[in-house]
Amino acid sequence: ALGMGRAREPEPAVGAHVGLSAPFAAYLLPLMRQYFPQASPLPADKSPDDLYAALNIVKHPSMIRVESDEYELEKALIEGKISVDDLPALWNEKMKSYLGCEPESDARGVLQDVHWSAGLFGYFPTYSLGAMYACQIFQAAQRELPGLSEDIAAGRFGALKAWLNEKVHKVGSLHTSGDELMKAVTGAPLDPQIFLDYLKEKYTALYQL
C-alpha cells in the first residue's frame, strides 16, 4: 500500500460506508430478527431507520484512543516541546479537558496500545487519512455503480467488491503516491472537503441539526 493512510482505506470503506449505511440497516434488520428472535433490543415496532440511528450514535467520551485521539501530543513530542516523561500527565489532562473523562491508570491512558512504545510515530493520523480516502473512493463507486444503494439493501455486495478489486486493490501500489491513485480512481487528488461534507450531511440528518 502507498503508506499507512492507504493501508487503512478498505476497512473504513466497508465499515463506515456500507456497514453503517441506511441501506445496510434495511438489509440487516430482517436477518437479526431471523437469527436472534429473542434479542431484547429488537422489538417489533423498530424499523430499519431505528437501527440505522442506533448504529451511528455518537458515543459518550471514551478512554479508548481509537474513539478519541492524541495527535496533538504526538506532534508536540516529535517537535521536542514535551518529553516522554510528560506524557502520562498530559494525556490525562487533555482527556479531561477535551472529553470530560480521566483514566484511572496509565494502562487505560497513555499506555493503552503499542503504537508509541513500538516506535510507530505518525501512525495515528492514518486512521483519519484512511477515512478520507474511503469516503472519496466510495463516492466514486456510487457514481460508477448505478443502483449501489439498492444492491446494498438487498445484500448484493459483489459489484462493489469487484469494483474495489479492479480500481483500487489490484493497482494500489503501482501508482507513485496516494494522490495519483486517487486521481486514477476518483478523478481528483484527495480532497478533505468531501469527507467533511459527508459527515455534515450524515449527522445533520441523523440528529436533525
Side-chain angles (χ1 to χ4, degrees):
L2 297 169
M4 284 305 300
R6 274 289 301 111
R8 287 286 170 188
E9 170 270 319
E11 179 183 351
V14 175
H17 295 279
V18 176
L20 297 179
S21 69
F24 188 78
Y27 164 68
L28 181 61
L29 184 58
L31 292 177
M32 293 175 69
R33 287 207 167 107
Q34 177 182 350
Y35 291 104
F36 305 101
Q38 305 305 317
S40 58
L42 294 174
D45 63 334
K46 295 300 180 182
S47 69
D49 287 342
D50 294 321
L51 178 58
Y52 172 63
L55 290 172
N56 287 279
I57 191 170
V58 176
K59 294 182 178 180
H60 293 297
S62 170
M63 297 294 177
I64 305 304
R65 61 103 198 138
V66 295
E67 297 167 2
S68 53
D69 78 70
E70 57 278 277
Y71 305 157
E72 182 180 340
L73 291 181
E74 182 174 83
K75 185 173 183 288
L77 186 64
I78 292 172
E79 291 175 346
K81 295 179 180 178
I82 62 175
S83 72
V84 172
D85 289 341
D86 297 327
L87 282 175
L90 285 172
W91 181 291
N92 293 350
E93 177 187 314
K94 295 297 184 182
M95 289 289 288
K96 187 171 184 178
S97 173
Y98 292 155
L99 300 175
C101 55
E102 188 171 356
E104 69 274 14
S105 69
D106 289 341
R108 293 279 290 170
V110 72
L111 297 176
Q112 65 183 257
D113 71 24
V114 301
H115 291 122
W116 280 344
S117 61
L120 297 175
F121 294 100
Y123 191 102
F124 295 123
T126 66
Y127 291 93
S128 295
L129 282 171
M132 286 187 282
Y133 277 122
C135 185
Q136 191 164 328
I137 288 171
F138 191 77
Q139 188 180 85
Q142 289 177 308
R143 289 195 303 268
E144 296 186 20
L145 297 173
L148 180 57
S149 292
E150 290 77 9
D151 281 346
I152 291 172
R156 298 188 296 264
F157 309 108
L160 176 60
K161 180 180 184 299
W163 187 91
L164 286 168
N165 289 159
E166 181 67 24
K167 298 281 188 174
V168 181
H169 304 142
K170 187 170 77 173
V171 299
S173 295
L174 297 180
H175 294 280
T176 57
S177 69
D179 272 347
E180 290 303 313
L181 173 65
M182 294 300 282
K183 289 177 186 178
V185 176
T186 73
L190 182 65
D191 182 358
Q193 191 60 47
I194 292 174
F195 184 55
L196 293 174
D197 290 344
Y198 158 77
L199 292 177
K200 183 176 181 179
E201 179 181 355
K202 177 173 182 172
Y203 287 99
T204 295
L206 274 168
Y207 286 90
Q208 300 179 356
L209 301 176

